[in-house]
Amino acid sequence: MADPFYITTAIHYPNGKPHIGHAYETIAADVVARFQRLRGREVRFQTGTDEHGLKMAQKARDLGTTPRALADEMSGYFRDLFDRLNISYDRFFRTSEDDHHRASQALWRAMEANGDLYLDRYEGWYSIRDEAYYDEAELVDGGRGEKLSPQGTPVEWTVEESWFFRLSKYQEPLLALYRDNPDFIRPEGRRNEVERFVESGLRDLSVSRTSFDWGVKVPGAEDHVMYVWVDALTNYLTGLGYPDNTELFDKFWPANVHLIGKDIVRFHAVYWPAFLMSAGVALPKEVFGHGFLLKRGQKESKTLGNVTDPVELADQFGVDSLRYFLLREFSFGQDGSYSPEAIVNRSNSELSNSFGNLAQRVMSFIAKNCGGSVTATAPIEDVDQALRNKVNNACAVELPDAFEKLAFAAGLESWMQAVFACNAYVDEQAPWALRKTDPERMLRVLATLCGCIRDLAIAVSPVIPAASAKLLDALSIPADARDYAALANDPALGTITVENPQPAFPRLDMPEDAQAQ
């Protein structure tokens, strides 16, 4: 039995409705989860919302509501979006849940018992938007004497009593972690950035606040609430039952990968492992910081008025087309740009015109001309075997190898080359002509193509689950024969039954606003 697999997204901050970046990260994590399930692993996939902190308290006050009511409303939007995007999470987590408060306090006590927490006074620069502290040297000039964080967010000078975590104590253990485990932080560029940051020297970290009360109470100091990142990061443990010795925790911790945006790598690759080292908890195996999703090359913001509602994109272009585009268009880990016309072009050229057309014309031909069933008895020719080998290699070797490394675009490129090979084979073998001249050879060609379509649909199903299921249903592939292990068995060697084939990828129309540009 393969080892269990635990993947998490960052828990999303719900001080507003979800945007396309939230969809991008969660779709990518869902593809990983589905992919690992098809490889035979027991998977735990967690996502959710990070509901505490000053930003939430201020937003609720501005709206004339309570932080709890705001969290309840906004968290619902995230859950609705993920259901709309066909996200197969096992746990949707909310940090306002009672068991999370207990877990966060348990982690705090463990760090305190290790001598790593002490009470002092904090004076320094704080970004409410980032929920992050910055040294003076990290700030940038925003003009007119304004200081900004490295992310370009406003900072303010903060003075208050605070509990501190002895982060400086863990500088050398962290550097040893990065040195001994080069895949702990990926991609490589993110690891290099983190290593330089830690090498420059770590200062102890303020980990409590007294200026607001919307958060997890510090044990024994009820006038303090935990710094939101102590609380937020602990969610990865809480979701498995920490601090109790649960079956889930024993099975799935340490996490295989925390999938996060590049702007929060420091919290996950510096603070988080230090907290865990202090508390005596095993470290996650990998932190992967993906890039930003840009709209026509520009970062989205409410100020620019270019924020995209991912629900509208899903409704306009279809969930599977959106999922495919986001993982196919650019290398995961780097920044990528999208536009409505790019989604349409990619979906039409590859899903509709190439894979969809291949499947529909082959299965429709069988339904119309072969009574919906094919049993091939003619010999397998070299050209048939060459195609099956190419498709099987792309689906059983190249795509899985790439997806294991989160190299989705590379895996889908191999898959697409196999689709192109199938279309070339159809044109060369011309089963419609063989129907008149060599019916037995026609059946072998059709069986070969059906085997290829089956392989292609299984391999790509983590990315486009609904469309793949539709194609596999039409090919009468049993539900228990749709994983990667099934690729070792060739359906072309037996009877293939086609039932009610319908187009899986309707052509998309270019949006009117895109046509006008």
Side-chain angles (χ1 to χ4, degrees):
M1 181 69 179
D3 292 337
F5 187 89
Y6 182 32
I7 183 170
T8 71
T9 67
I11 46 173
H12 309 292
Y13 209 72
N15 63 330
K17 290 184 178 180
H19 55 66
I20 187 63
H22 298 124
Y24 177 50
E25 178 173 300
T26 312
I27 287 171
D30 181 63
V31 169
V32 175
R34 290 176 180 273
F35 166 72
Q36 293 293 347
R37 292 187 193 111
L38 291 185
R39 300 212 89 174
R41 301 180 78 169
E42 186 177 359
V43 172
R44 180 79 174 178
F45 171 23
Q46 180 166 303
T47 188
T49 46
D50 172 17
E51 300 176 8
H52 294 137
L54 184 55
K55 276 192 297 187
M56 286 292 286
Q58 290 184 341
K59 181 71 171 182
R61 183 188 62 213
D62 294 344
L63 294 174
T65 187
T66 65
R68 166 68 73 173
L70 176 64
D72 288 345
E73 177 187 358
M74 292 299 167
S75 183
Y77 290 126
F78 280 83
R79 189 188 292 269
D80 290 345
L81 170 65
F82 297 161
D83 290 346
R84 177 74 180 91
L85 295 176
N86 204 0
I87 305 298
S88 61
Y89 57 82
D90 297 289
R91 172 81 185 266
F92 185 95
F93 191 89
R94 299 183 59 187
T95 56
S96 57
E97 298 171 14
D98 290 342
D99 62 343
H100 179 63
H101 285 238
R102 186 171 73 93
S104 300
Q105 290 172 339
L107 188 74
W108 181 283
R109 291 190 185 96
M111 295 190 294
E112 186 175 36
N114 200 41
D116 288 335
L117 297 174
Y118 62 92
L119 190 62
D120 205 337
R121 179 181 175 86
Y122 176 77
E123 294 187 21
W125 296 103
Y126 186 74
S127 167
I128 297 174
R129 193 179 302 174
D130 297 345
E131 299 280 12
Y133 305 95
Y134 295 104
D135 291 335
E136 181 85 29
E138 294 183 88
L139 303 182
V140 297
D141 184 4
R144 300 180 180 178
E146 183 183 22
K147 295 180 182 293
L148 300 176
S149 77
Q151 273 67 249
T153 58
V155 296
E156 59 184 41
W157 186 258
T158 301
V159 179
E160 63 181 315
E161 182 183 73
S162 176
W163 284 89
F164 282 78
F165 173 74
R166 298 186 193 277
L167 185 63
S168 58
K169 171 181 172 182
Y170 290 92
Q171 179 170 334
E172 291 308 317
L174 286 169
L175 291 174
L177 168 66
Y178 310 148
R179 181 180 61 249
D180 298 340
N181 302 275
D183 287 338
F184 178 72
I185 307 169
R186 291 202 308 126
E188 183 180 0
R190 310 269 188 267
R191 184 181 74 243
N192 293 337
E193 292 170 4
V194 169
E195 286 182 327
R196 301 295 85 78
F197 172 75
V198 176
E199 287 171 348
S200 69
L202 294 178
R203 298 172 57 187
D204 289 352
L205 180 68
S206 173
V207 289
S208 75
R209 303 294 301 274
T210 58
S211 56
F212 63 96
D213 62 1
W214 175 241
V216 178
K217 303 295 184 183
V218 170
E222 295 298 305
D223 55 334
H224 287 253
V225 295
M226 292 183 193
Y227 173 42
V228 67
W229 278 103
V230 178
D231 153 20
L233 291 162
T234 306
N235 93 90
Y236 305 129
L237 300 177
T238 314
L240 299 177
Y242 179 87
D244 299 329
N245 187 26
T246 65
E247 181 181 347
L248 280 177
F249 192 85
D250 289 344
K251 179 180 293 185
F252 290 107
W253 190 262
N256 294 80
V257 59
H258 293 317
L259 193 61
I260 59 169
K262 66 179 183 180
D263 54 331
I264 56 173
V265 168
R266 179 187 302 182
F267 305 100
H268 286 77
V270 180
Y271 302 168
W272 182 225
F275 295 160
L276 293 172
M277 288 177 187
S278 174
V281 178
L283 306 186
K285 298 176 182 177
E286 181 181 336
V287 173
F288 191 102
H290 63 77
F292 290 143
L293 190 60
L294 310 174
K295 186 175 184 179
R296 303 186 190 279
Q298 189 175 43
K299 191 173 181 179
E300 296 190 12
S301 75
K302 294 178 182 178
T303 303
L304 294 174
N306 66 344
V307 176
T308 301
D309 182 349
V311 174
E312 292 181 1
L313 285 180
D315 290 344
Q316 185 173 16
F317 302 117
V319 171
D320 277 356
S321 293
L322 179 62
R323 289 170 62 106
Y324 182 82
F325 172 85
L326 291 175
L327 297 187
R328 171 72 168 121
E329 187 75 0
F330 37 81
S331 295
F332 193 67
Q334 307 303 313
D335 290 350
S337 185
Y338 81 97
S339 65
E341 55 266 39
I343 297 173
V344 169
N345 288 335
R346 180 69 72 175
S347 180
N348 283 347
S349 64
E350 296 190 353
L351 294 182
S352 180
N353 293 354
S354 296
F355 185 42
N357 185 53
L358 167 72
Q360 186 60 21
R361 65 173 171 165
V362 169
M363 291 192 289
S364 293
F365 185 90
I366 293 172
K368 181 179 180 180
N369 299 290
C370 305
S373 179
V374 169
T375 303
T377 57
I380 298 174
E381 299 185 3
D382 288 347
V383 67
D384 309 328
Q385 193 61 55
L387 179 67
R388 291 298 288 126
N389 290 346
K390 180 176 181 60
V391 170
N392 194 259
N393 187 61
C395 294
V397 179
E398 293 175 351
L399 181 146
D401 286 353
F403 275 28
E404 283 286 358
K405 303 170 186 173
L406 306 189
F408 304 115
L412 291 172
E413 173 63 22
S414 296
W415 178 85
M416 199 67 237
Q417 291 303 317
V419 173
F420 291 153
C422 289
N423 279 308
Y425 174 89
V426 173
D427 293 338
E428 292 167 0
Q429 299 302 313
W432 52 89
L434 291 172
R435 178 169 174 259
K436 299 178 181 178
T437 61
D438 192 345
E440 292 301 311
R441 174 63 189 157
M442 175 198 72
L443 293 176
R444 172 56 64 196
V445 168
L446 294 173
T448 300
L449 286 166
C450 285
C452 290
I453 293 167
R454 189 281 309 256
D455 288 3
L456 292 165
I458 289 175
V460 81
S461 63
V463 182
I464 49 174
S468 293
K470 188 174 184 178
L471 293 174
L472 293 169
D473 287 345
L475 280 172
S476 304
I477 303 299
D480 61 356
R482 299 183 181 188
D483 57 13
Y484 284 94
L487 299 180
N489 303 313
D490 191 349
L493 301 179
T495 297
I496 297 169
T497 302
V498 172
E499 294 185 5
N500 191 31
Q502 298 294 323
F505 307 101
R507 282 188 58 80
L508 302 179
D509 295 325
M510 193 68 70
E512 293 183 6
D513 57 344
Q515 293 173 350
Q517 293 180 7

